[in-house]
Amino acid sequence: MKYIVLFSLILFSITRCSNELVFEYQNFVTTTTLHCKKPCPTISLKILIAKELPIVADSINKKVFSVLKKIIYFGEKPHTASNYKELTTAFIGSYEKLQNDFPNNTFGWEAQVEESIKYKSENILNYKSMSDHQSFGLIYSNRGLLEI
């Protein structure tokens, strides 16, 4: 029995050492800390994070993050966030600043992003990013492919 377990572990280790890019979903959710009526302003990101091939994965992850950073912002310039948690915090922070500046106004403020891979080959990777966000009652929708 020991040998079967040992053999299984070795086989698993060998198969994991392949040169294949692996993706894993990570969720990032931030909700306002201000008192609000339900539903409260929130941002929800369901992001595919590339793993296993460090240089390639890092390049893909940086590109996807830079695109999302441009999509999800309020103001004249995109947020200066360097990771997804900072990005979600900055988005909600924009709402909270506006709410503090104009406490008698109510307006919608939310963002939802979900990614998926539409096509993957040795040389091409197409991400589908569906994002909807709402601020000041205006709804923005961005559904498209990011080719890497």
Side-chain angles (χ1 to χ4, degrees):
M1 184 68 175
K2 284 188 209 179
Y3 295 112
I4 293 174
V5 172
L6 182 60
F7 179 73
S8 298
L9 287 173
I10 292 171
L11 184 61
F12 179 74
S13 297
I14 291 171
T15 58
R16 291 293 291 158
C17 292
S18 68
N19 288 333
E20 186 176 330
L21 195 57
V22 175
F23 292 89
E24 176 182 288
Y25 277 107
Q26 289 187 8
N27 294 310
F28 303 90
V29 178
T30 302
T31 303
T32 185
T33 57
L34 299 178
H35 176 72
C36 59
K37 295 179 183 175
K38 301 286 183 193
C40 290
T42 188
I43 180 170
S44 171
L45 308 177
K46 186 176 181 182
I47 307 297
L48 279 166
I49 304 295
K51 299 188 176 251
E52 297 300 324
L53 298 176
I55 295 172
V56 175
D58 189 50
S59 177
I60 290 169
N61 293 335
K62 283 181 180 178
K63 179 65 176 175
V64 170
F65 180 74
S66 72
V67 169
L68 283 178
K69 197 160 96 168
K70 291 175 186 173
I71 291 171
I72 301 175
Y73 74 93
F74 175 77
E76 295 179 16
K77 295 186 284 186
H79 300 296
T80 58
S82 60
N83 60 53
Y84 289 108
K85 185 62 183 161
E86 288 177 9
L87 183 62
T88 60
T89 301
F91 182 80
I92 293 299
S94 297
Y95 162 79
E96 290 176 349
K97 180 181 181 326
L98 228 75
Q99 189 63 49
N100 286 329
D101 291 346
F102 303 98
N104 296 328
N105 293 343
T106 57
F107 38 84
W109 201 274
E110 68 175 333
Q112 294 179 332
V113 175
E114 185 171 343
E115 296 181 340
S116 61
I117 295 175
K118 296 312 285 178
Y119 177 77
K120 179 180 166 186
S121 72
E122 190 174 315
N123 298 317
I124 297 174
L125 175 65
N126 280 10
Y127 264 76
K128 181 176 183 182
S129 179
M130 296 188 305
S131 63
D132 295 311
H133 67 281
Q134 176 180 356
S135 53
F136 288 116
L138 301 172
I139 297 175
Y140 305 93
S141 182
N142 182 7
R143 299 168 194 266
L145 292 176
L146 170 62
E147 188 171 306
I148 300 174

